[in-house]
């Protein structure tokens, strides 16, 4: 029976990073994962993020944006194109190639860092003294390894909708939405979160008529509402996404070639829509099925998350849990940083991870990104604040890109001027938000950002201008 210092269960962005960092710190490390490639004939590391989440969705978003630009934006640049055609299968093929390259990259990193990769489903079997026994089930072929430390990084799975079963033929989850090889004429999406908006945007740009049904009465409730309202206006009035809020989903009936959705609007009106395809994206739940936590007494909370403290320690000595399977935002970068932190804590180091400075991004066009508190949160908490806003409409770089829509907002403490939140909608704000993150990590004031020289012409000047506006010193607005 093989023994390890550290065994990681799950090779998603939390697990594989935890394994690599553990090995770098001198621990004999193994990582257990049951992921397979799209064809189902070979292991594929990287979890949901690399295989059917973050990475493939960004590939499709970029492809669809190119197609849309060729149809609608090139003429403004003096570029005339002929009959622009779209090949959905080719777009999926490109996406798959990117996924294959990156998942293969993790395999290389495991080899480079001497992480032993074990294929199969990992579950707790029991204990042998101070060592935990982990069973690895490779399609019925079972083996057991022992570990002094165990890091659970099993991620999350799509939240099921009681009214209908996902078949990834006509009723799709995130994986099915990423693998359509033809454009549906009429696409329904249940849920207007990150997955719903991104996938709805992809298929809308390439020709689908898209309707998004959201149970919540507020659009993007987690985002700053000034930014959310601007986004809603762009998505609906300018881009043509049909988004209905406050709906109650009723019966859903699968036909041979369509899906019928019955629902009630926020005003109480009964409606029926027939879609060619339906994407169900109503959130995700922790993935602990088959982990056999009962064998060792590992505790979960009432929602199914593994209980951890602020440092990712569970109720069991030397058992840790990270990423989507524990509290906090379900974000790949949060999982990765937790993985690093846990490996370093095992080594006796004192790493720090601040949930208040974890950035959130939605990769629509325009992009939406934020870090820190929203205006609504600050008001609810009774925090006195001041704010500055600036738009991309007069930004030279944004105008040159043909993407001059959007706003940047900076929120700062009214007494100390310390930055409390940065909220953005606009071009490449997924990159711009990093400046806000770093500012908050170093306890910067809005004046600090305002007094830093920003290159001209760049999109970052809008953040600079918003910081100036906090103290009513805006120069271009």
């Amino acid at each position: 029976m093989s023994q390890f210092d550290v065994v990681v269960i799950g090779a998603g962005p939390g697990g594989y990073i935890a394994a690599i960092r553990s090995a770098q710190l001198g621990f004999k490390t193994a990582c257990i994962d049951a992921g397979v490639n799209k064809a189902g004939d070979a292991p594929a590391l990287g979890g949901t993020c690399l295989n059917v989440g973050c990475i493939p969705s960004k590939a499709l978003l970029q492809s669809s944006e190119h197609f849309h630009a060729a149809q609608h934006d090139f003429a403004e640049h003096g570029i005339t194109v002929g009959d622009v055609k779209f090949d959905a299968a080719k777009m999926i093929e490109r996406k798959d190639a990117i996924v294959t390259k990156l998942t293969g990259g993790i395999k290389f990193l495991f080899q480079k860092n001497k992480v032993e990769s074990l294929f199969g489903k990992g579950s707790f079997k029991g204990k042998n003294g101070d060592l935990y026994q982990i069973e690895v089930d490779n399609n019925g072929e079972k083996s057991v390894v022992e570990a002094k430390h165990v890091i659970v990084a099993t991620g999350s799975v799509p939240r099921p909708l009681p009214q209908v079963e996902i078949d990834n033929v006509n009723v799709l989850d995130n994986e099915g939405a990423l693998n359509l090889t033809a454009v549906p004429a009429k696409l329904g999406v249940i849920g207007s979160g990150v997955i719903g908006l991104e996938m709805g945007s992809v298929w809308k740009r390439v020709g689908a008529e898209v309707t998004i049904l959201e149970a919540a009465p507020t659009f993007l409730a987690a985002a700053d509402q000034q930014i959310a309202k601007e986004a809603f206006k762009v998505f609906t009035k300018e881009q043509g996404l049909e988004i209905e809020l406050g709906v109650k989903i009723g019966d859903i009936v699968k036909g041979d070639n369509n899906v019928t959705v019955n629902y009630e609007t926020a005003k109480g009106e009964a409606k029926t829509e027939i879609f060619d395809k339906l994407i169900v994206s109503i959130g995700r739940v922790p993935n602990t099925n088959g982990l056999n936590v009962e064998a060792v007494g590992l505790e979960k909370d009432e929602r199914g998350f593994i209980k951890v403290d602020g440092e990712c320690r569970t109720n069991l000595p030397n058992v840790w849990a990270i990423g989507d399977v524990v509290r906090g935002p379900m974000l790949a970068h949060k999982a990765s940083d937790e993985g690093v932190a846990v490996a370093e804590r095992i080594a006796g180091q004192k790493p720090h991870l601040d949930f208040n400075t974890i950035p959130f991004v939605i990769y629509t066009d325009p992009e939406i990104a934020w870090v820190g508190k929203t205006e609504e949160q600050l008001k609810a908490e009774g925090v006195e604040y001041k704010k500055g806003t600036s738009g991309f409409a007069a930004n030279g770089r944004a105008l040159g890109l043909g993407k001059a829509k959007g706003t940047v907002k900076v929120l700062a403490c009214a007494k100390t001027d310390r930055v409390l939140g940065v909220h953005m909608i606009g071009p490449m704000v997924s990159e711009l938000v990093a400046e806000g993150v770093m500012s908050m990590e170093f306890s910067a004031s809005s004046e600090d950002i305002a007094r830093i020289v920003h290159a001209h012409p760049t999109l970052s000047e809008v953040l600079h201008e918003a910081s100036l506006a906090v103290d009513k010193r805006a120069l271009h607005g």
Side-chain angles (χ1 to χ4, degrees):
M1 185 181 300
S2 299
Q3 292 186 352
F4 297 90
D5 299 315
V6 177
V7 166
V8 182
I9 305 176
Y16 84 76
I17 288 293
I20 290 171
R21 186 65 183 129
S22 296
Q24 288 175 345
L25 291 165
F27 296 114
K28 184 181 179 184
T29 304
C31 186
I32 304 168
D33 190 79
V36 295
N37 63 6
K38 185 177 175 179
D41 57 7
L45 302 169
T48 294
C49 177
L50 265 69
N51 288 278
V52 291
C54 318
I55 300 304
S57 63
K58 305 311 163 282
L60 297 191
L61 283 160
Q62 191 62 56
S63 296
S64 67
E65 286 173 24
H66 284 325
F67 178 69
H68 185 271
Q71 285 186 309
H72 302 282
D73 302 335
F74 281 6
E76 183 181 347
H77 294 266
I79 302 171
T80 301
V81 294
D83 184 19
V84 181
K85 297 180 180 179
F86 175 74
D87 186 338
K90 183 66 177 177
M91 178 177 76
I92 299 299
E93 181 183 324
R94 174 182 178 270
K95 177 265 295 182
D96 290 342
I98 293 171
V99 169
T100 299
K101 181 175 182 177
L102 290 177
T103 55
I106 300 173
K107 180 180 179 181
F108 167 77
L109 289 171
F110 274 6
Q111 294 169 344
K112 176 184 176 183
N113 289 282
K114 297 181 173 57
V115 174
E116 186 164 338
S117 184
L118 304 175
F119 178 74
K121 295 181 179 179
S123 62
F124 287 96
K125 186 173 179 64
K127 288 194 74 176
N128 177 21
D130 291 334
L131 299 177
Y132 291 92
Q133 295 182 319
I134 308 298
E135 182 177 86
V136 184
D137 185 349
N138 180 1
N139 296 317
E141 184 180 332
K142 299 179 180 180
S143 59
V144 177
V145 297
E146 294 184 333
K148 182 177 180 181
H149 290 269
V150 179
I151 303 174
V152 179
T154 47
S156 61
V157 293
R159 183 186 300 277
L161 186 66
Q163 292 95 322
V164 69
E165 184 178 350
I166 302 292
D167 58 18
N168 277 331
V169 177
N170 291 329
V171 181
L172 318 170
D173 58 14
N174 57 294
E175 184 173 357
L178 289 164
N179 287 310
L180 290 172
T181 54
V183 180
K186 195 169 183 180
L187 174 67
V189 182
I190 299 179
S192 66
V194 175
I195 296 171
L197 287 174
E198 290 184 357
M199 289 298 94
S201 295
V202 166
W203 296 107
K204 172 63 179 176
R205 280 195 286 265
V206 297
E209 178 186 333
V210 178
T211 299
I212 299 177
L213 304 175
E214 170 59 54
T218 304
F219 182 64
L220 292 180
D224 186 278
Q225 283 304 292
Q226 178 183 344
I227 301 298
K229 288 174 182 176
E230 185 171 346
F232 188 83
K233 182 178 178 180
V234 170
F235 296 153
T236 56
K237 293 187 177 181
E238 297 182 23
Q239 297 182 4
L241 284 173
E242 183 71 30
I243 304 176
E244 289 210 44
L245 303 174
V247 307
K248 294 180 181 179
I249 302 295
D251 292 336
I252 298 176
V253 181
K254 289 195 286 186
D256 292 337
N257 297 302
N258 56 41
V259 184
T260 301
V261 179
N262 298 285
Y263 66 96
E264 184 181 299
T265 70
K267 295 180 179 179
E269 179 186 357
K271 279 193 173 184
T272 298
E273 293 279 2
I274 300 175
F275 301 110
D276 297 295
K277 303 288 183 181
L278 178 69
I279 299 173
V280 177
S281 55
I282 56 172
R284 299 180 67 83
V285 294
N287 179 27
T288 56
N289 286 341
L291 195 54
N292 196 25
V293 298
E294 298 79 11
V296 289
L298 182 61
E299 292 183 356
K300 297 188 293 184
D301 67 16
E302 64 281 358
R303 296 185 298 159
F305 290 95
I306 294 175
K307 290 184 179 180
V308 292
D309 64 11
E311 296 188 336
C312 294
R313 291 182 174 88
T314 70
N315 64 301
L316 301 176
N318 297 339
V319 176
W320 314 73
I322 61 173
D324 287 6
V325 81
V326 302
R327 79 290 176 267
M330 288 184 169
L331 298 169
H333 42 283
K334 174 258 196 182
S336 295
D337 275 23
E338 282 184 330
V340 170
V342 164
E344 292 177 350
R345 287 176 188 130
I346 292 172
Q349 298 180 18
K350 304 292 182 183
H352 173 69
L353 180 61
D354 185 357
F355 277 20
N356 295 311
T357 57
I358 294 177
F360 292 74
V361 179
I362 303 175
Y363 295 85
T364 45
D365 183 17
E367 294 180 344
I368 303 166
W370 71 90
V371 62
K373 301 285 189 179
T374 66
E375 257 197 274
E376 291 72 29
Q377 288 172 321
L378 294 176
K379 288 176 181 177
E381 294 168 10
V383 176
E384 294 183 21
Y385 67 93
K386 49 187 178 177
K387 67 178 178 180
T389 61
S390 184
F392 288 94
N395 178 264
R397 180 69 172 140
L399 287 165
L401 290 170
K403 293 181 176 291
K405 290 185 174 67
T407 303
V408 174
K409 175 194 282 189
V410 175
L411 301 172
C413 176
K415 298 175 181 177
T416 67
D417 194 37
R418 181 173 177 174
V419 177
L420 302 175
V422 179
H423 306 271
M424 309 172 170
I425 177 172
M428 300 302 290
V429 296
S430 57
E431 305 293 337
L432 296 184
V433 75
E435 185 174 348
V437 174
M438 184 167 289
S439 298
M440 291 184 64
E441 275 288 343
F442 285 91
S443 301
S445 65
S446 71
E447 184 183 359
D448 289 329
I449 301 176
R451 292 196 179 277
I452 293 172
V453 178
H454 288 67
H456 173 76
T458 62
L459 299 173
S460 67
E461 290 178 284
V462 182
L463 175 59
H464 179 251
E465 190 77 9
S467 299
L468 284 165
V470 171
D471 282 325
K472 298 179 172 57
R473 297 194 293 125
L475 298 172
H476 297 91

